[in-house]
Amino acid sequence: MGYHPIGTGHLLHMINEVDRMYDLRDASPISNKLRNSIRSMAPPQENPPLTELLTALGDNISSSDLEPRLASLAEKNVLDDITLAAIRSLHTKLEEAGRREGLLRVLYDIATDLTGIRDVEAVLKAIVRRTRALIGSDISYLSLNDYEKGETYIRVTDGATTEMFRSIRIPLGEGVLGAVATGRAPSQSPDYLNDSTKTHVPASDEAVAAEGVRAIMGVPLWAAGKVIGALLVADRHAHHFSSDDIALMETLGAHAAVALENARHFSAMADAVTKLNLAQTENVAHVQVLEELSSLDQRLMETLAAGDVLPNLLRLLSESMDSPVFILSPGGEPMEGLPHHNDLSSIAAAQAAGMSVERKAPVQFTVEGRQYTAMASLAAEQHLASLFVACHRDEERLVGLERSALVLSAALIFERTLQDTQYRLQVELIDELLRPRPEITAALIRRAAGFGLVEGGQLSVRVIGVKEEHRQRALAILRQYVENRPGIVALYESQLCVIESPAKPGLGRGPTRSGTHGGDRSDSMGQAVMETLQRQHIQATVGSSQIVAGLAGLPGAYVQARQVLRALLALSRQGEAADPARLGTAGMLLGAMDSPFTEQLLAAQLGPLLTYDATRGTALVHTASLFLDNDSALKPTAEGLHVHVNTLRQRLDRIDAILGQKWRRGTSALDIHVALKLWQLKGAGLKAGIHPPGPRNEHSS
């Protein structure tokens, strides 16, 4: 049974309704709604075949399935040609609507992806990869403009195989790429190398030929009212790109430009935030360092104002540096009373200290893999000391070390100034105390009391003999020796002199060489003074006076101490400490130097021998003295005289002839020996009241 041909009015109404509901330029409705509307507009029972076709259109029938059905209906004369054309038109519109909707969905996905990427490099790669996939081209690429050089250059590609193509740079306005990059309009060339309508650049053409590119099409990239580059596609076969491809490229280009600009801004903001965070971190660290330095400065000033500067400074620096710290003299020796480390006696430590003096900055060095830092303490180019830290430190910590070195310089200068002032006061005071004076004034008593020398108290004078080249160093050591005890030290008449108050029994100053303690007999002889110098490798001979009461007895005590020193030197007892009592017989002879008995004894015992030596220029008196000192032993006496034993025998025979053989034995030997010692003392210029130019011994001061 056939059907009556249906009029086209109702079908055309449906086509118009589709156009109304779905404007292809807008493409905002969804295709499913369109197809549902078509189903609802189909006439229910007027023409079942037409209803089936419209339902099939609503179900998204493909062209391959639709055409056989339309041909069958046409043969049966069920639908006329106008209706068939309307159905075909409606199907075409639905297909194009679906394709456009799919494209818009893809563009939306692309836009979402691109705006979600924050890395500029990733955005560029995503743009060219998506563009190539959507257009279906062999190659896609993106260029950026360099307005300073007037060029555009390919920044990223997808599908390109040659480095020449990936590195193309072309002047703005030249070729397809240069023309598009100027932003005038989209541009294409179906066969670029053979296209005479386009300008050509040899280097660019060579790269295009190497890549095998023929057809090229591109659109400009606009951002913030400025062309920043171009987006292009290329194929390795000649053809024209459709208007739909161009429209799609323009849409992609708009999205790409926005995404690229957003990524740039995001990267710039991220870089700015990173730099800001880094700057903030650095500022916080810098502020923390400044606070630490401020705290260190305050503590350094407190240390400088307090006593015991060097130990407190070491303790403070060890806490600040979190490592052991040492202070060494310019000679590389530890400062008095401070710790030392064997590594700091090395050549590397000495060189580092020297370099720090030259650079006026910290110098880091290693000793057998152990790390150290040296910082010189300077004042007016003078090297005062060196700070050593048992580690390597960063620049901020080294600033604290430099400031500590300045405080150390101030402390050492202050200490030196104080010592110099104290020494000048001691020089003036010792000059007044040791010179005979008619009276002891109240002012002198007050000044002496300031150094612990109390009027009416027990006092003694010590005169110290050292080699001349050791005198100044010995003076510096003795100044430290009396620093924390009652006493003064200075040079007086070119002699090293110490005036001190001997310690009371039970209040000793530490063990002496004999193993006893201060306050005993050894201390009264100046043993502590001698041992103090010996610890610094200075051999000293110390002559001490008997203890006197009060300041008035000091001039006489000085004369007595000087006589004891010269007696020790005359008796070849260098490196000893003694007072008159310790000298024994020599001490008794010192007390008899001014009596007539002295001359009578010398004349009675040695007169003929002294006369013989005087008239003949011999040294028989000296020979006799050395012979008795050696217990009448020939060999050591000959060695002491630097003569042969036979020569010594001849000299002894001559002495026997002058004095008689009894001089060698018994009480006669004792009398002669005492007379010879008296002769030695008299020859050394020890007679009371005599001020000789000084002893001839090498240990005299």
Side-chain angles (χ1 to χ4, degrees):
M1 181 176 73
Y3 295 95
H4 294 287
I6 190 171
T8 61
H10 188 63
L11 187 59
L12 292 177
H13 172 73
M14 287 190 290
I15 294 175
N16 291 333
E17 185 66 17
V18 170
D19 286 338
R20 184 186 68 80
M21 293 184 63
Y22 191 88
D23 187 347
L24 292 178
R25 292 188 301 268
D26 183 15
S28 56
I30 302 175
S31 60
N32 288 336
K33 291 178 62 177
L34 293 174
R35 297 183 189 281
N36 290 334
S37 298
I38 290 173
R39 292 191 193 97
S40 66
M41 288 187 294
Q45 297 298 330
E46 293 181 7
N47 195 333
L50 180 59
T51 301
E52 293 177 1
L53 284 176
L54 291 178
T55 302
L57 290 177
D59 293 338
N60 197 19
I61 188 173
S62 64
S63 297
S64 59
D65 292 334
L66 178 64
E67 286 299 328
R69 294 177 67 174
L70 292 178
S72 175
L73 293 174
E75 290 177 0
K76 296 177 181 180
N77 199 27
V78 174
L79 298 176
D80 58 21
D81 292 339
I82 296 176
T83 303
L84 292 175
I87 291 174
R88 287 189 177 95
S89 175
L90 181 60
H91 181 261
T92 300
K93 288 181 179 290
L94 288 174
E95 279 191 332
E96 186 172 353
R99 186 182 68 84
R100 180 65 62 88
E101 184 180 290
L103 178 61
L104 289 176
R105 185 178 295 109
V106 171
L107 288 176
Y108 175 79
D109 292 341
I110 291 175
T112 302
D113 290 345
L114 292 181
T115 54
I117 300 175
R118 301 308 185 194
D119 180 22
V120 172
E121 191 69 23
V123 166
L124 294 174
K125 291 180 179 179
I127 289 172
V128 295
R129 184 175 63 252
R130 295 276 193 171
T131 300
R132 182 186 175 200
L134 283 175
I135 301 300
S137 58
D138 295 330
I139 304 169
S140 65
Y141 52 101
L142 184 148
S143 76
L144 296 177
N145 293 345
D146 184 348
Y147 285 104
E148 291 185 0
K149 294 183 178 180
E151 296 177 337
T152 187
Y153 62 94
I154 294 179
R155 177 65 175 78
V156 63
T157 66
D158 188 69
T161 60
T162 63
E163 184 62 29
M164 289 180 62
F165 190 85
R166 289 192 290 264
S167 304
I168 288 177
R169 297 183 72 96
I170 192 169
L172 292 172
E174 303 294 329
V176 175
L177 173 59
V180 172
T182 58
R184 288 195 294 268
S187 179
Q188 70 165 309
S189 174
D191 191 357
Y192 173 71
L193 292 177
N194 298 316
D195 190 348
S196 60
T197 64
K198 306 296 182 184
T199 58
H200 292 268
V201 177
S204 175
D205 287 1
E206 184 181 356
V208 170
E211 187 66 36
V213 167
R214 300 189 69 183
I216 302 174
M217 185 265 290
V219 296
L221 298 178
W222 288 84
K226 180 180 180 181
V227 180
I228 61 173
L231 179 64
L232 300 98
V233 291
D235 287 319
R236 294 185 175 92
H237 60 279
H239 70 94
H240 279 280
F241 288 91
S242 68
S243 59
D244 288 341
D245 289 336
I246 296 175
L248 178 58
M249 282 286 288
E250 287 184 307
T251 303
L252 284 173
H255 285 303
V258 173
L260 179 59
E261 196 67 10
N262 287 342
R264 278 180 170 179
H265 288 316
F266 183 84
S267 296
M269 290 177 61
D271 291 342
V273 170
T274 301
K275 291 179 180 178
L276 182 61
N277 290 335
L278 179 60
Q280 184 177 6
T281 302
E282 291 177 350
N283 288 337
V284 170
H286 185 62
V287 169
Q288 184 177 359
V289 169
L290 291 179
E291 290 177 349
E292 292 178 356
L293 286 176
S294 177
S295 176
L296 179 61
D297 283 342
Q298 181 178 356
R299 296 174 67 186
L300 286 172
M301 291 302 102
E302 292 173 353
T303 300
L304 186 60
D308 295 331
V309 174
L310 297 187
N312 289 332
L313 180 61
L314 274 187
R315 184 164 52 254
L316 175 58
L317 285 181
S318 296
E319 294 175 0
S320 175
M321 297 292 168
D322 195 24
S323 297
V325 180
F326 306 91
I327 302 178
L328 271 62
S329 69
E333 300 174 348
M335 303 292 279
E336 184 71 21
L338 298 183
H340 185 45
H341 194 285
N342 291 335
D343 286 352
L344 303 183
S345 300
S346 63
I347 296 176
Q351 291 175 342
M355 292 175 62
S356 181
V357 172
E358 295 177 2
R359 300 177 183 177
K360 299 180 178 61
V363 174
Q364 298 180 338
F365 66 99
T366 58
V367 179
E368 298 181 357
R370 293 181 290 275
Q371 297 179 337
Y372 295 92
T373 302
M375 180 64 210
S377 174
L378 305 172
E381 306 300 329
Q382 183 181 5
H383 186 194
L384 302 178
S386 294
L387 278 170
F388 288 89
V389 183
C391 63
H392 288 177
R393 283 301 179 203
D394 53 25
E395 187 173 351
E396 288 79 6
R397 291 290 184 92
L398 292 180
V399 172
L401 184 60
E402 292 177 359
R403 298 195 180 190
S404 301
L406 292 176
V407 173
L408 176 59
S409 297
L412 293 177
I413 291 173
F414 178 77
E415 182 179 359
R416 178 178 296 180
T417 302
L418 180 60
Q419 290 177 351
D420 291 343
T421 301
Q422 290 284 71
Y423 180 65
R424 284 195 298 271
L425 294 175
Q426 293 182 46
V427 169
E428 296 173 358
L429 181 59
I430 208 168
D431 184 68
E432 293 191 45
L433 291 176
L434 297 186
R435 290 188 182 278
R437 54 190 304 113
E439 62 175 346
I440 303 298
T441 63
L444 183 59
I445 293 174
R446 286 196 302 271
R447 290 165 56 196
F451 292 95
L453 304 179
V454 181
E455 169 61 7
Q458 292 186 338
L459 304 172
S460 63
V461 178
R462 315 197 191 283
V463 181
I464 300 98
V466 297
K467 290 182 179 180
E468 186 173 355
E469 60 266 27
H470 294 161
R471 183 184 298 168
Q472 291 302 321
R473 191 159 69 94
L475 177 60
I477 295 170
L478 291 177
R479 285 168 61 180
Q480 292 182 351
Y481 166 80
V482 301
E483 186 173 347
N484 296 318
R485 67 181 70 207
I488 57 176
V489 60
L491 283 172
Y492 179 71
E493 294 184 347
S494 300
Q495 302 274 3
L496 272 174
C497 296
V498 175
I499 302 176
E500 61 177 331
S501 178
K504 297 179 181 180
L507 299 176
R509 300 169 181 155
T512 64
R513 186 174 59 180
S514 61
T516 59
H517 288 267
D520 62 8
R521 183 66 181 169
S522 63
D523 186 62
S524 68
M525 295 183 300
Q527 190 80 14
V529 171
M530 186 184 69
E531 291 178 351
T532 298
L533 295 174
Q534 284 180 342
R535 283 193 293 271
Q536 300 298 325
H537 310 292
I538 298 177
Q539 187 186 55
T541 307
V542 181
S544 297
S545 70
Q546 294 177 334
I547 294 176
V548 297
L551 304 180
L554 291 177
Y558 164 69
V559 173
Q560 189 178 65
R562 186 184 60 185
Q563 289 176 341
V564 172
L565 172 63
R566 294 188 179 179
L568 290 173
L569 298 177
L571 298 174
S572 300
R573 292 167 59 178
Q574 291 86 354
E576 291 188 22
D579 58 6
R582 180 64 181 270
L583 282 178
T585 303
M588 291 187 295
L589 293 177
L590 281 175
M593 289 292 288
D594 292 329
S595 68
F597 170 76
T598 301
E599 297 298 333
Q600 294 172 5
L601 179 63
L602 289 176
Q605 301 295 331
L606 301 177
L609 199 59
L610 290 170
T611 302
Y612 188 89
D613 281 347
T615 57
R616 289 173 174 77
T618 57
L620 295 181
V621 176
H622 179 56
T623 300
S625 176
L626 194 58
F627 179 70
L628 293 178
D629 285 345
N630 287 313
D631 295 329
S632 303
L634 294 176
K635 186 176 181 180
T637 304
E639 291 176 353
L641 294 171
H642 305 291
V643 299
H644 195 272
V645 173
N646 292 334
T647 303
L648 175 61
R649 287 193 180 98
Q650 293 174 3
R651 290 186 182 183
L652 293 176
D653 290 342
R654 177 64 61 186
I655 296 173
D656 289 345
I658 296 172
L659 298 180
Q661 293 185 356
K662 292 182 179 181
W663 77 275
R664 301 191 193 188
R665 297 181 295 276
T667 57
S668 295
L670 175 60
D671 293 338
I672 292 296
H673 204 178
V674 170
L676 287 170
K677 290 301 179 185
L678 185 59
W679 170 79
Q680 286 180 335
L681 295 175
K682 190 174 179 65
L686 297 179
K687 185 176 180 180
I690 298 177
H691 299 277
R696 292 166 292 177
N697 192 281
E698 64 176 354
H699 293 296
S700 64
S701 20

